[in-house]
Amino acid sequence: MSGERPGLEALYRSELRSVYAFLWRLGAQESEMDDLAHDVFVTAARRLSSFDPARPARPWLLGIAFRVFSDARRKRRPTETPSEAMEDPVPGPEASVERRQAQQVIRRALATLPEERRVAFVLHELEGLTPSEVSNLMQAPLMTTYSRLKTARDEVASAVRRFQLIEQSRNGSR
């Protein structure tokens, strides 16, 4: 898509999996994934004329996905919580039991983070965006983004260790 504005269909085909994976990592529930992805691409269609084709499409689209997800969270009833048993929405070969357990631990660890740190972590660590790109997408100062990333890394590592200890104690008591 170098220098040429992508068509919505091409954008949808090339980025749908990324949008689903990003929403899943943010903690979207399985029951809302299709609606959220739909809203992302409807918004992208409305804003396509403002997209700068000299820039990569994925960060632009993930920025839209972040805002759609955030809006949905604000509208969600406070008693609802993300499903821990959700399957990875990205199709692929059958995952091993160990990989599935690791994904569940990471998802649970991410769910413990406040939204701003979770989004920064997912965008940078899992989606590969630079801190500067994350700052732009989240409309936050660069130093705030660095702070969010450092704190999120520490919190995720701590949560993973905690969940692993819990799992070990469960397995040891059988």
Side-chain angles (χ1 to χ4, degrees):
M1 294 185 205
S2 57
E4 188 177 306
R5 191 172 312 284
L8 184 61
E9 186 176 342
L11 189 62
Y12 179 82
R13 282 189 186 142
S14 67
E15 300 300 335
L16 181 62
R17 280 186 179 184
S18 296
V19 167
Y20 265 84
F22 180 64
L23 292 168
W24 181 81
R25 290 174 180 143
L26 290 180
Q29 295 183 19
E30 186 173 13
S31 62
E32 64 184 343
M33 292 292 284
D34 289 337
D35 289 338
L36 289 171
H38 173 267
D39 291 349
V40 168
F41 285 98
V42 166
T43 303
R46 283 196 317 261
R47 297 183 182 160
L48 198 56
S49 64
S50 68
F51 172 68
D52 177 3
R55 301 185 59 92
R58 184 170 292 162
W60 175 74
L61 202 54
L62 294 182
I64 292 171
F66 162 64
R67 286 183 285 286
V68 165
F69 176 80
S70 294
D71 289 346
R73 286 292 127 321
R74 282 191 287 279
K75 294 174 186 171
R76 180 194 270 185
R77 293 189 311 265
T79 57
E80 294 180 40
T81 57
S83 168
E84 291 180 5
M86 185 175 141
E87 296 291 322
D88 187 341
V90 180
E94 189 70 21
S96 69
V97 170
E98 204 171 278
R99 180 172 177 218
R100 190 169 307 271
Q101 288 172 339
Q103 287 174 334
Q104 288 175 348
V105 167
I106 291 296
R107 181 160 167 87
R108 288 175 58 203
L110 289 173
T112 68
L113 299 177
E115 184 175 316
E116 296 84 14
R117 290 197 294 266
R118 182 176 62 244
V119 171
F121 182 90
V122 169
L123 285 170
H124 179 66
E125 298 295 337
L126 303 178
E127 297 296 335
L129 274 63
T130 67
S132 179
E133 290 171 323
V134 173
S135 282
N136 290 336
L137 288 176
M138 294 184 73
Q139 300 174 342
L142 184 58
M143 294 311 292
T144 300
T145 299
Y146 280 120
S147 175
R148 287 175 179 168
L149 287 171
K150 162 112 178 61
T151 303
R153 284 184 197 112
D154 293 345
E155 290 173 337
V156 166
S158 176
V160 165
R161 283 191 298 274
R162 191 170 55 252
F163 292 136
Q164 287 173 333
L165 287 173
I166 291 169
E167 194 60 34
Q168 287 172 356
S169 70
R170 285 182 188 159
N171 291 338
S173 65
R174 289 181 189 175

